[in-house]
Amino acid sequence: MIRKETTVSSDLIYTGKTIQLRVDTVEMPNKGYQKREIIEHKGAVAIVAITDDNKIVLVKQYRKAVEKELYELPAGKIEIGENPLDCAIRELKEETGYSTDSLKLIHKYYTSPGFSNQMVFIYLAKNLIPGERNLEEDEFLEVYEMDIKEAYNMIMSNEICDSKTVIGLLLTKELL
């Protein structure tokens, strides 16, 4: 039988621009106590954008945490008071220049529920309208458009290894 852990106390350790870190003391079902380190995150969106000629729009950018350039879906964090749909519209335009009147939520998932509450909302975007990108001051990325089969092959060869991108592309492959 699965039983809930009851929070006895919670201490905020760190507050940053993107995350907060807290340590909870929890009472276990067997009446013992444990510490849980939890990263709080406001959530993020990722967009599977498909052009009129059935190309997938990806971005490539350097990610400090893994010290690599990664292919990813256009994505970004949800701002305070922003809903996921509005965030998806904003991030698609910022990173790729595309806008659309056709955004559909296709999945949402917790990235690492063992230590974080971050949820990612994945949207499918069609009927793309080209425009100018509006990158944030600290964003440096390149935009790529490729066939879904090519992107799928990149997943299978580990060239695409970002979880939101893998999930979004595999779901889209099934939806198309």
Side-chain angles (χ1 to χ4, degrees), residues 150-160 165-166 169-170:
E150 180 183 356
Y152 178 76
N153 289 338
M154 291 174 72
I155 291 170
M156 298 310 292
S157 66
N158 288 312
E159 290 175 79
I160 293 178
T165 305
V166 171
L169 292 177
L170 292 179

Side-chain angles (χ1 to χ4, degrees), residues 46-150:
I47 305 99
V48 181
I50 302 176
T51 65
D52 288 343
D53 58 347
N54 286 320
K55 302 286 186 188
I56 299 291
V57 180
L58 296 175
V59 297
K60 187 176 185 182
Q61 62 185 318
Y62 179 79
R63 293 299 197 176
K64 177 64 180 158
V66 295
E67 300 280 352
K68 291 181 180 182
E69 289 181 355
L70 298 178
Y71 286 97
E72 301 178 34
L73 294 174
K77 66 182 171 78
I78 299 169
E79 301 294 338
I80 296 170
E82 185 177 42
N83 69 53
L85 179 62
D86 289 340
C87 181
I89 292 166
R90 177 177 55 78
E91 288 293 343
L92 180 63
K93 179 70 174 164
E94 279 181 14
E95 293 191 357
T96 70
Y98 284 115
S99 56
T100 182
D101 59 3
S102 175
L103 269 175
K104 177 185 174 189
L105 180 67
I106 59 172
H107 195 61
K108 59 184 180 177
Y109 70 98
Y110 291 108
T111 58
S112 299
F115 63 86
S116 177
N117 69 349
Q118 181 185 29
M119 180 172 278
V120 174
F121 299 82
I122 301 177
Y123 288 88
L124 180 62
K126 293 183 176 180
N127 303 326
L128 302 181
I129 303 160
E132 293 295 316
R133 294 190 313 167
N134 186 24
L135 295 174
E136 292 185 23
E137 182 178 286
D138 63 346
E139 284 184 307
F140 305 94
L141 52 88
E142 297 171 1
V143 178
Y144 291 85
E145 295 181 8
M146 65 183 66
D147 182 76
I148 185 73
K149 187 170 180 130
E150 180 183 356

